[in-house]
């Protein structure tokens, strides 16, 4: 087995799929060495510019990101080997021969490996056709299975029916994956709605983490865990589209969505009120295991030490806490109970406190 990266002491526990944007990259940049060695992010790049490349270069030495450029045209500027930053290429089943060759160059230049991303909802051919597709990847990149991490991407799961459907598909794919000597196998999914701007305002709203439940139901297969952080899995979805202060805060089995617009006072005062609400909530971390740089920043705002920040800041702080929360759950599973049956009075797939007007879980 080829070493993943100089300085990495152990195989990562967690492979989040994150947008390659300022907020997510800032959260990754503030990981300490121990956490960075346990996380192997997959970054979805939708634009390439100097700022993005510089942000990748500032990531901790212990963290080696994988970058997916499949949404970008195959030009010299989008060829990761030209960026001069250590990374792992992400390869899809439908890549062109030209891009496969470029991914092979990138793999040999840095980590000598690649991530093969199999999208359960899109790549729905039979096992023999899937084998033919990955064999084409190995030929085109000049890699062997032992140099490839398989990422089974279940995409968006937003309700119990989605979980059941995704579980059946993923089980078939993991059964197929046993044919090959993969370096690692990870299952990733995302459960947040594509937009949050129809959820209730000025009260925390609970949303179930169906992606976490999916992975728990697949635990008997021994695959690694991945998710979409505090972002949606649907293509084209992004950060909140309204002007309200918005934070997504991760807990066991759920997110708490804070959208704040309390009247009166300056914006900094309203955001301080939001942060005070978070730090006084029962899910605020007290044992230190999931306390992160993002939590520190939220606490500073609760004490009015700093201003309200921006959409990128809110994404960074929420992502930072999410990474710490997931790592704590994966490292100490006995402390984190599975997401069990719904309690009486709560609707599956809907916020515990319903949004105004009876909005559904698919808030978009």
């Amino acid at each position: 087995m080829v070493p993943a990266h100089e300085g990495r002491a152990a195989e990562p526990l967690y492979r989040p799929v994150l947008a390659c944007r300022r907020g997510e990259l800032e959260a990754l940049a503030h990981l300490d060495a121990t956490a960075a060695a346990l996380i192997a992010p997959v970054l979805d790049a939708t634009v390439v510019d100097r700022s993005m490349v510089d942000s990748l270069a500032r990531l901790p030495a212990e963290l080696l990101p994988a970058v997916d450029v499949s949404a970008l045209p195959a030009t010299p500027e989008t060829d990761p080997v030209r960026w001069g930053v250590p990374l792992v290429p992400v390869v899809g089943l439908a890549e062109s021969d030209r891009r496969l060759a470029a991914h092979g160059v990138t793999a040999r230049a840095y980590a000598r490996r690649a991530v093969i991303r199999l999208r359960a909802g899109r790549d729905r051919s039979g096992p023999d056709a899937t084998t033919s597709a990955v064999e084409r990847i190995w030929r085109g990149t000049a890699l062997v299975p032992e140099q490839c991490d398989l990422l089974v991407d279940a995409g968006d799961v937003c309700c119990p029916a989605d979980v059941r459907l995704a579980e059946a598909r993923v089980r078939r794919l993991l059964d197929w994956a046993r044919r090959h000597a993969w370096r690692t196998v990870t299952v990733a999914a995302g459960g947040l709605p594509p937009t949050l701007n129809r959820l209730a305002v000025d009260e925390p709203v609970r949303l179930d983490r169906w992606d976490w439940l999916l992975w728990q139901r697949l635990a008997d297969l021994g695959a690694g865990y991945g998710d979409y952080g505090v972002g949606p899995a649907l293509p084209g979805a992004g950060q909140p589209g309204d002007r309200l202060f918005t934070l997504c805060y991760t807990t066991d089995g759920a997110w708490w969505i804070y959208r704040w617009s309390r009247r009166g006072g300056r914006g900094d005062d309203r955001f301080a009120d939001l942060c005070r609400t978070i730090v006084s909530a029962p899910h605020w971390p007290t044992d230190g295991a999931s306390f992160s740089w993002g939590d520190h920043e939220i606490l500073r705002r609760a004490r009015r030490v700093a201003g309200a920040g921006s959409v990128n800041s809110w994404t960074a702080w929420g992502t930072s806490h999410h990474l710490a929360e997931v790592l704590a759950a994966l490292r100490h599973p006995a402390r984190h109970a599975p997401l069990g049956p719904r309690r009486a009075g709560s609707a599956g797939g809907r916020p515990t406190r319903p949004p105004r007007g009876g909005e559904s879980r698919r808030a978009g």
Side-chain angles (χ1 to χ4, degrees), residues 107-128:
R108 289 186 293 277
Y110 297 122
R112 301 182 297 283
R113 61 185 177 87
V115 172
I116 294 182
R117 188 174 186 177
L118 200 167
R119 299 177 184 265
R122 299 186 200 174
D123 305 321
R124 296 178 63 182
S125 49
D128 292 339

Side-chain angles (χ1 to χ4, degrees), residues 24-332:
E24 289 82 353
L25 292 173
E26 185 176 6
L28 292 172
H30 282 89
L31 291 171
D32 62 34
T34 299
L38 298 174
I39 295 177
V42 173
L43 302 176
D44 280 328
T46 56
V47 65
V48 175
D49 54 29
R50 190 71 251 170
S51 174
M52 185 269 282
V53 174
D54 289 344
S55 294
L56 290 175
R58 289 193 294 269
L59 295 179
E62 297 81 7
L63 185 145
L64 183 65
V67 179
D68 190 334
V69 295
S70 60
L72 299 171
T75 64
E77 293 74 22
T78 63
D79 186 352
V81 76
R82 295 172 177 264
W83 303 347
V85 178
L87 54 82
V88 175
V90 177
V91 189
L93 267 60
E95 304 282 14
S96 66
D97 291 344
R98 175 182 175 184
R99 184 155 259 174
L100 287 180
H103 286 327
V105 172
T106 302
R108 289 186 293 277
Y110 297 122
R112 301 182 297 283
R113 61 185 177 87
V115 172
I116 294 182
R117 188 174 186 177
L118 200 167
R119 299 177 184 265
R122 299 186 200 174
D123 305 321
R124 296 178 63 182
S125 49
D128 292 339
T130 304
T131 296
S132 297
V134 297
E135 287 176 344
R136 174 177 168 269
I137 290 173
W138 294 326
R139 289 193 302 270
T141 58
L143 297 172
V144 296
E146 292 85 353
Q147 293 174 291
C148 295
D149 299 292
L150 177 64
L151 176 64
V152 178
D153 188 345
D156 181 52
V157 289
C158 70
C159 63
D162 281 357
V163 172
R164 290 192 296 270
L165 180 62
E167 181 184 358
R169 288 178 180 171
V170 171
R171 284 188 177 276
R172 288 194 295 270
L173 289 170
L174 293 181
D175 184 61
W176 162 84
R178 294 191 185 96
R179 297 182 178 188
H180 308 287
W182 301 101
R183 184 176 181 276
T184 65
V185 177
T186 301
V187 175
L192 272 179
T195 180
L196 305 176
N197 59 11
R198 294 176 65 188
L199 297 179
V201 177
D202 292 337
E203 63 178 274
V205 176
R206 185 187 188 277
L207 298 179
D208 286 314
R209 288 172 58 197
W210 299 109
D211 47 2
W212 181 243
L213 174 60
L214 172 65
W215 181 71
Q216 290 177 327
R217 291 175 65 156
L218 297 165
D220 60 298
L221 301 179
Y225 175 71
D227 59 26
Y228 276 75
V230 295
L234 291 177
Q239 293 166 313
D242 57 31
R243 295 180 177 274
L244 298 181
F245 299 128
T246 304
L247 267 168
C248 179
Y249 202 79
T250 308
T251 64
D252 280 357
W255 293 286
W256 287 93
I257 311 301
Y258 292 80
R259 300 178 65 242
W260 237 241
S261 181
R262 289 187 172 172
R263 293 175 291 277
R266 299 179 305 137
D268 288 2
D269 295 332
R270 295 198 301 274
F271 194 72
D273 181 71
L274 182 159
C275 292
R276 284 194 299 271
T277 304
I278 294 177
V279 302
S280 62
H283 49 252
W284 179 252
T286 57
D287 61 357
S290 58
F291 193 86
S292 66
W293 163 79
D295 291 295
H296 174 73
E297 292 301 311
I298 293 170
L299 186 58
R300 293 179 67 210
R301 272 72 187 178
R303 295 171 175 171
R304 299 189 182 184
V305 175
S310 64
V311 172
N312 288 317
S313 304
W314 311 332
T315 299
W317 304 335
T319 300
S320 175
H321 171 74
H322 180 89
L323 299 177
E325 175 70 22
V326 171
L327 271 186
L330 295 175
R331 296 175 75 183
H332 307 287

